[in-house]
Amino acid sequence: MIDLKRRLARLLIEKSYLEGDFTLTSGKKSDYYFDCKHTALHPEGAWLIGKLFLDMIRAKGGVTGVGGMTLGADPLVSSVTVVSHLEGYPLPGFIIRKQSKGHGTNQYLEGLKNFEPGQSVCLLEDVITTGGTLLTAVERVRDQGLNIACIMGVLDREQGGRENLEKAGFDLQTIFTRKELLETAKN
């Protein structure tokens, strides 16, 4: 697993990590920006993310599917579902809309036909800053009758998200913190 993390760290630094002056979704200012989609949409990056998340989910146990808020989690969910099928540990996925569909079923979640009420799922996120997006996702998933077994992310910016999720009763597991990402990419 260490080699997989090292490979992913190098790809993330190459494709998804920028330094400069940025304003984040949370409104906070930052001297770096992390856009995981570039790596998650790369063939090797998608496989590495899917494999590492799947290994983390297996270790957790009791998870029957994965989902996350569009757009950041879309490629993460897809990578986990594909890798899970290839490894004989099938986990279906769902995507959470930012706004309800507005027509038809007017739902927030896509992919619900793959789930039964009461099943335990893992929420995935690319970058965690304050955790606000995840807390919105939690509410929408619970409204559909699913239980949240765990929350996982690619990168914890270490700017309060973990603490906010803990206050809400969730333990955040991530592949990297910023410090871990930078250190792992160097080795």
Side-chain angles (χ1 to χ4, degrees):
M1 184 184 297
I2 293 171
D3 183 50
L4 296 181
K5 283 185 78 167
R6 188 176 303 116
R7 287 168 55 192
L8 179 58
R10 289 178 183 154
L11 266 177
L12 288 167
I13 293 296
E14 176 188 334
K15 302 200 173 288
S16 298
Y17 184 84
L18 297 170
E19 292 186 346
D21 292 321
F22 302 97
T23 302
L24 307 175
T25 304
S26 64
K28 291 184 176 192
K29 297 288 185 184
S30 177
D31 62 350
Y32 75 98
Y33 186 71
F34 186 77
D35 188 350
C36 186
K37 289 180 289 299
H38 296 288
T39 302
L41 292 168
H42 180 274
E44 183 182 13
W47 179 79
L48 288 166
I49 288 169
K51 174 68 175 149
L52 288 166
F53 273 145
L54 182 61
D55 289 349
M56 292 164 64
I57 290 166
R58 278 183 176 162
K60 181 79 175 162
V63 173
T64 59
V66 295
M69 188 72 82
T70 200
L71 180 74
D74 293 1
L76 309 178
V77 170
S78 293
S79 67
V80 171
T81 61
V82 170
V83 172
S84 73
H85 173 75
L86 293 172
E87 293 203 8
Y89 192 85
L91 296 173
F94 62 89
I95 300 296
I96 307 163
R97 293 176 173 272
K98 292 183 181 181
Q99 296 180 0
S100 67
K101 204 170 180 180
H103 63 281
T105 59
N106 203 35
Q107 62 193 14
Y108 278 105
L109 271 65
E110 296 294 339
L112 277 178
K113 291 212 176 213
N114 296 317
F115 297 89
E116 297 292 329
Q119 285 185 291
S120 294
V121 297
C122 178
L123 289 183
L124 303 176
E125 181 70 284
D126 54 356
V127 182
I128 296 92
T129 303
T130 65
T133 300
L134 282 165
L135 293 173
T136 299
V138 162
E139 185 177 309
R140 292 182 182 160
V141 171
R142 285 181 169 166
D143 286 348
Q144 293 300 312
L146 298 174
N147 297 319
I148 296 147
C150 53
I151 297 177
M152 296 181 181
V154 176
L155 180 77
D156 178 2
R157 292 180 58 95
E158 300 178 293
Q159 292 183 301
R162 181 178 303 276
E163 294 78 10
N164 289 336
L165 290 166
E166 284 175 1
K167 286 178 192 171
F170 297 100
D171 177 42
L172 174 67
Q173 291 181 273
T174 58
I175 297 173
F176 298 107
T177 62
R178 180 189 185 193
K179 181 180 176 185
E180 291 168 341
L181 174 65
L182 296 174
E183 288 175 1
T184 304
K186 287 180 191 175
N187 296 327

